[in-house]
Structures are given as C-alpha cells and as structure tokens.
Amino acid sequence: MPVDQKLVEAAQAQTIARFPNGAGGAAAVYLSDNVILTSVGFESPNEASNLCYEAGAYCEAFRLGKSVTASVCVARDGPNQSFYVMAPCGICQERLAIWRELVEIAVPVREDATKWQSLSFDEIQPWYWADSLSFGSKT
C-alpha cells in the first residue's frame, strides 16, 4: 500500500499531541489490515539509547504479527513550523527489510521536504546488502 495523505496526517497529529509546544516528530505506519500505528522516538540523556521515531510502531507491528505496508516519518522545528518528511535512516531501513516485498516508504521530494513521494523498499535500497548473502551458494 502506498503512503497517502491520511498516513502523513496521522504522523503529524501524533507530533502535535506529543510535542505541542516545540520541535519534534513522529511516525505512522499502515499495517496489513489497514490499521494505522503511530510512534515517537524515545529520548534519554544518553544519546546512544535514543530510538528513531519509527521504532515503536515497527516493534508493535511485529508484536502483533502484522506486516508494515507503508511508513512515514515527519518532523518540525517548532510549533509554528511546517512539517517535513524524513527518509528512514539506515537502521530503520534494516527494520523495514523484514517487510521488504510489501512496504512503501515516504521520502521527501529533494527540492521541497514538505512534499513527499512513496517509494518501494527496492527503490530505496536497489542493492540491498543481504541480497549478496545468497551469491556464494549459486552455481
């Protein structure tokens, strides 16, 4: 399922709910049954233990035994700022790889990060590293 405006708005609403007075962000995902999950990042004084905005929703989907079919992450710099879409970091791309065949991912339009497009996992990771694991066994 491609990312749509409803999913983007769910992430924006979660951001406003969690960070009404300042900068912040959130993620939203569609599950295989069209349920939307949202999450925010865990922030602690030790930066090494922080989590991406998407991690909570991905973990919850996995706990429920559901596939993630679309994922978006948004942020803003303050309460009166425009939202922008952030592409998933490398770690979140690894997390999305378990749903690789099914998932569409929001990425910003290069000229204007307030605009987005929906791409497949393979469009984001055309040379996904784990694909090479089977090369040694081919004859």
Side-chain angles (χ1 to χ4, degrees), residues 71-126:
S71 179
V72 63
C73 183
V74 302
R76 65 181 178 164
D77 295 327
N80 298 318
Q81 300 292 317
S82 296
F83 281 96
Y84 52 93
V85 171
M86 297 189 309
C89 72
I91 298 299
C92 283
Q93 289 180 37
E94 285 299 314
R95 293 171 180 143
L96 286 169
I98 65 172
W99 301 294
R100 176 181 182 174
E101 312 273 315
L102 306 170
V103 70
E104 290 279 327
I105 303 159
V107 297
V109 172
R110 290 194 189 273
E111 302 80 30
D112 182 355
T114 64
K115 296 185 173 124
W116 52 270
Q117 57 186 321
S118 185
L119 300 176
S120 70
F121 181 89
D122 287 340
E123 288 173 307
I124 290 175
Q125 284 279 357

Side-chain angles (χ1 to χ4, degrees), residues 6 47 98:
K6 180 178 176 183
E47 293 266 334
I98 65 172

Side-chain angles (χ1 to χ4, degrees), residues 5-26:
Q5 191 60 37
K6 180 178 176 183
L7 193 65
V8 173
E9 288 170 0
Q12 291 171 340
Q14 179 61 67
T15 302
I16 292 166
R18 178 62 182 89
F19 306 103
N21 298 316

